[in-house]
Amino acid sequence: MDINYVGEHLWAGTLGNLLVILSFIAALFALVSYYKASTTSDSSWRPLGRLGFRLHSLATIMIFGLLLFMLANHYFEYHFIWQHTSNDMPMKFLMSSFWEGQEGSFLLWSFGHIALGNMLIWTAGKWENKVMTVFSSVQVFMSSMLLGVFILEHRIGSNPFTSLLRDHPDFARLPLFNSATYLEFLDGRGLNPLLQNYWMIIHPPTVLIGYSFALTPFAFAIAGLWKKDYHGWIKPALPWTYAGIGVLGVGVLMGGAWAYEALSFGGFWAWDPVENASLVPWLIWVGGAHLMLINKNKGTSLVATFSLICLTFILVLYSTFLTRSGVLGETSVHAFSDLGMSGQLLLYLFAYLIMSIALIAYRWKDFPKTKDDEALWSREFWIFVGALILTISAFQIAFSTSIPVINKVFGSNLAPPADPVAHYNSWQIPFGIVLLVLIGFTMHLKFKKTDFKKFLKSISLALALALILTLGIGYALQLGNIYYLLMLFTSQFAVLANADYLIRVLKGKSQKAGSTIAHIGFGTIMLGALISMSASEVISTNTSGVDVEQLGDEYSNNENILLMENDTLPMGEYHVVYRGREKEGIYIRFLVDYYLKEGNTYNKSFTLTPFVQLNERMGNVPEPDTKHFLINDVFTHVTYATLEIEKPSDKEDYKEIEKDFYTQGDTIFASNAILVLEKIYRGISDTTIEMTEKDIAITARIRAIDFNTKSHFISPVFVLKEASYIEPIEALNDQLGLKILFDKIDTETGKVQLTVSETKVAKKDFVILKAIKFPFINVLWLGCIIMMIGTALAVYTRVIANRRS
């Protein structure tokens, strides 16, 4: 039936689709032109390549702007817009909704490439043709991810401009679209509540821009192999390499900050698969950058340098596949769902993997041979060892994270780590210890050869101070784990040895201090991570007297405290009071006051407001709240709360709160008590109930524990009257305001169906909280700042050096 729909903005889809096609064709034209410019002496091809890339850039920017405009104006007739935004979504999360979808994230990634590509057109000089050939080829792939066309029944890309909601397979037959004015009644699905946090406005684009930077050294490396200039590419590529390491490193750290501020991980790092996916290429990249330095200074480690720089870009593509193919959907809290582009992502990945391997293998025999072996006590030898450790570390993380992929490809049944934190830490802490030792002493070595006695003398002060501090801090924190003590020592050694080098050798000269300051920052990060996590203390031991373990295995009395409204309970060094809740839009905030005892009085220290974000479509999401002090943080989040608390009523009417099948030992949580189904037995204990000889009675004995820890027994009865009909007999407890009905018996499973109702009068507000104290976590955040400053200084130094040369 043809319907003239009212209010649809079909012009936006038409324009967007034309821009997508133009972007793809222009990228293809730039690829051909730059390739011809690289392989022929005809100088007219380079201007054509520039024209094609700039036209592609303009089209991509216009696509970016148009999609943002459609999101801001809620063009819900398009599936992409409907899927990622809604009328009640705050505008400050507009950008988050843009890159929540795969199409938007690919577009942002492509935007990073065109920004860097246009800068390279101006700065690459003699490298422009070949470098931009690689850039243009990548942009052909990136543009194809938005095409949304079918070739031999295979879809190429997902086009946000051609998928109308009313034509989508999931919605095409809905009665809603029989109305010409359906847009008047339509609202979007909205943004994933996990992403409705200010960190998610800046974290994803930082990571994606970092991914974009990975293309630049890769393009220079491929150009070097192409030109047979095996060393010349390193100098122009180094500033881009350091800049990319800095940007991606900041993105990874932002992800940790997001987890700490917005997720109930109970820390800044949980070895989540998506966290790992961005960390692995960064580790390889850092190793590759250090090998580039070796090659620049001595010309060695050429094969390893090419391999790690190419592998960085390949792993960026693999990380993209992991997070966007849907394969991590069951193991990560923030992976993308599969849009049917997994095959295209793998084609993209293998195309550049095969090209890299083939080029390195083909040119291997032409690589210049070095005559001198690396001396044991030379800087280049230990930098190479460090790069090797980083590679092994990255491989271990990548392998464990890729278990779902391995199972899917090989049909195996490997189990992901049951305790990811313990699993990864058992591997990564030893790697970290070795790396910190290398970071500490390598700067004190010289290239080619070092006098060993002078070397020992130069690091002796840092070693002695690190040992003394380790004994003191280890004793104060009661660190008994040998690996923790070693990491404490090596992280301090790394900081002190590099600080000593900065002061005594570099004399504080900032133009040469970038890498040294970055090393100090990294050592400080590891020191802060060790102290804050190993000495963290769960202070929310349950002192209420109500056994929260009755709720299930995930609730422990050692870690979860039950707080009744306006009751005061001790918690660690504090006394805490739950003051009730405030509802603000979709947020329910729980107000918890913290008091410190001073003399005989309790003084309010601070208030935390952990909250739950309500979302009917995607599920409610709890978010923590943290009080930041100079020397520690108090991290608090809600582990259980009744979200709907009705106002008291004078009427004794009952409202059903639970109706389900239960077995002996199961727990039901009412507003004013914890109910435990203790026993199911044949017979009846209530003598007031009239029974005949032919009646069969089954009783459910339920223990109700109120919030004063007093036990009450409620025994509803299931009666089969004279083997002909059922007569459930409800049981009441007026003190708790509870009514329980024994409805059914499942003869196959032995479970019984209970209906629990309660009066509004009986309800009393409460929450269950988990609170963790993280000591000296600001050391970690200070390290992040120091490392960023050092990286930025290293980039600046390389740029200035290249300009001067």
Side-chain angles (χ1 to χ4, degrees), residues 59 121 192 224 232 262 391 401 460 506 550 660 670 781:
I121 288 174
N192 187 328
T391 303
T401 306
S460 59
L506 296 180
Q550 299 282 358
D660 205 347
W781 306 125

Side-chain angles (χ1 to χ4, degrees), residues 298 373-382 448-450:
K298 198 179 176 185
D373 293 329
E374 295 174 351
L376 177 61
W377 295 109
S378 65
R379 184 179 291 187
E380 59 269 25
F381 175 79
W382 291 105
K448 294 186 179 179
K449 193 173 183 180
T450 305

Side-chain angles (χ1 to χ4, degrees), residues 30-274:
L31 170 62
V32 172
S33 300
Y34 269 121
Y35 178 79
K36 295 293 287 185
S38 302
T39 55
T40 67
S41 58
D42 189 346
S43 60
S44 64
W45 284 108
R46 180 187 286 189
L48 291 175
R50 290 177 173 176
L51 175 64
F53 195 83
R54 285 168 178 161
L55 187 59
H56 162 73
S57 301
L58 179 62
T60 302
I61 292 170
M62 292 179 70
I63 295 169
F64 195 100
L66 178 61
L67 202 56
L68 269 180
F69 176 81
M70 294 167 66
L71 283 165
N73 288 278
H74 302 310
Y75 287 3
F76 295 136
E77 60 266 40
Y78 294 94
H79 184 261
F80 179 87
I81 310 300
W82 172 88
Q83 191 174 27
H84 301 294
T85 188
S86 63
N87 285 318
D88 60 356
M89 188 193 76
M91 284 299 292
K92 63 183 178 181
F93 297 128
L94 177 65
M95 297 303 292
S96 297
S97 66
F98 183 90
W99 44 69
E100 181 195 25
Q102 292 203 36
E103 300 92 336
S105 63
F106 278 118
L107 190 55
L108 179 63
W109 190 6
S110 182
F111 183 83
H113 285 163
I114 64 172
L116 295 173
N118 280 285
M119 284 190 277
L120 285 168
I121 288 174
W122 290 102
T123 61
K126 66 178 183 179
W127 293 93
E128 179 187 343
N129 291 343
K130 290 180 172 58
V131 166
M132 291 307 298
T133 300
V134 178
F135 256 80
S136 300
S137 70
V138 170
Q139 287 306 93
V140 170
F141 272 102
M142 295 296 288
S143 299
S144 72
M145 303 304 289
L146 295 177
L147 280 177
V149 297
F150 285 86
I151 298 178
L152 300 177
E153 298 183 355
H154 294 284
R155 189 177 69 171
I156 308 299
S158 176
N159 191 328
F161 300 105
T162 58
S163 180
L164 289 171
L165 190 67
R166 55 184 167 86
D167 294 333
H168 195 276
D170 294 339
F171 300 90
R173 296 182 180 179
L174 288 181
L176 172 69
F177 299 111
N178 292 330
S179 170
T181 59
Y182 75 93
L183 284 173
E184 295 180 5
F185 315 103
L186 191 62
D187 192 7
R189 188 182 71 164
L191 180 65
N192 187 328
L194 283 172
L195 305 183
Q196 295 189 37
N197 181 275
Y198 64 94
W199 280 110
M200 294 311 293
I201 301 174
I202 55 177
H203 162 56
T206 306
V207 170
L208 288 169
I209 297 300
Y211 283 178
S212 301
F213 268 99
L215 175 57
T216 309
F218 173 78
F220 273 105
I222 295 299
L225 291 167
W226 193 350
K227 289 181 65 174
K228 298 184 181 180
D229 187 350
Y230 303 119
H231 301 290
W233 67 276
I234 291 177
K235 189 173 182 179
L238 267 174
W240 302 99
T241 302
Y242 283 134
I245 288 172
V247 173
L248 183 56
V250 169
V252 172
L253 292 171
M254 283 181 176
W258 169 59
Y260 185 68
E261 293 287 342
L263 297 181
S264 300
F265 279 171
F268 53 85
W269 199 263
W271 296 105
D272 180 85
V274 175

Side-chain angles (χ1 to χ4, degrees), residues 583-715:
K583 187 170 182 181
E584 180 184 347
I586 60 172
Y587 301 100
I588 298 179
R589 304 184 189 279
F590 301 89
L591 282 65
V592 183
D593 290 341
Y594 283 69
Y595 289 82
L596 282 174
K597 188 175 182 180
E598 297 178 7
N600 294 322
T601 62
Y602 291 91
N603 296 320
K604 183 177 175 181
S605 179
F606 57 91
T607 299
L608 289 179
T609 56
F611 64 90
V612 174
Q613 184 184 156
L614 303 176
N615 192 301
E616 293 183 1
R617 293 190 181 98
M618 304 179 200
N620 301 325
V621 175
E623 291 199 25
D625 192 18
T626 304
K627 178 63 178 179
H628 303 284
F629 294 99
L630 182 62
I631 61 172
N632 64 65
D633 281 4
V634 178
F635 175 98
T636 306
H637 69 98
V638 175
T639 56
Y640 187 96
T642 304
L643 298 181
E644 294 184 5
I645 298 294
E646 297 185 33
K647 294 181 180 180
S649 170
D650 293 333
K651 298 180 180 179
E652 292 295 327
D653 55 336
Y654 285 85
K655 181 179 179 181
E656 181 182 309
I657 60 168
E658 290 285 344
K659 184 174 184 177
D660 205 347
F661 282 92
Y662 302 94
T663 190
Q664 190 168 304
D666 284 351
T667 302
I668 307 167
F669 212 73
S671 296
N672 214 20
I674 297 174
L675 311 180
V676 182
L677 178 56
E678 284 194 339
K679 188 178 181 181
I680 304 168
Y681 61 92
R682 184 169 178 175
I684 190 167
S685 57
D686 189 347
T687 56
T688 63
I689 299 175
E690 295 183 2
M691 299 282 293
T692 67
E693 293 181 357
K694 295 182 179 180
D695 293 343
I696 300 173
I698 308 293
T699 299
R701 177 184 166 91
I702 299 167
R703 178 193 293 268
I705 308 165
D706 65 24
F707 296 129
N708 294 316
T709 70
K710 182 180 178 182
S711 291
H712 308 257
F713 293 96
I714 309 173
S715 300

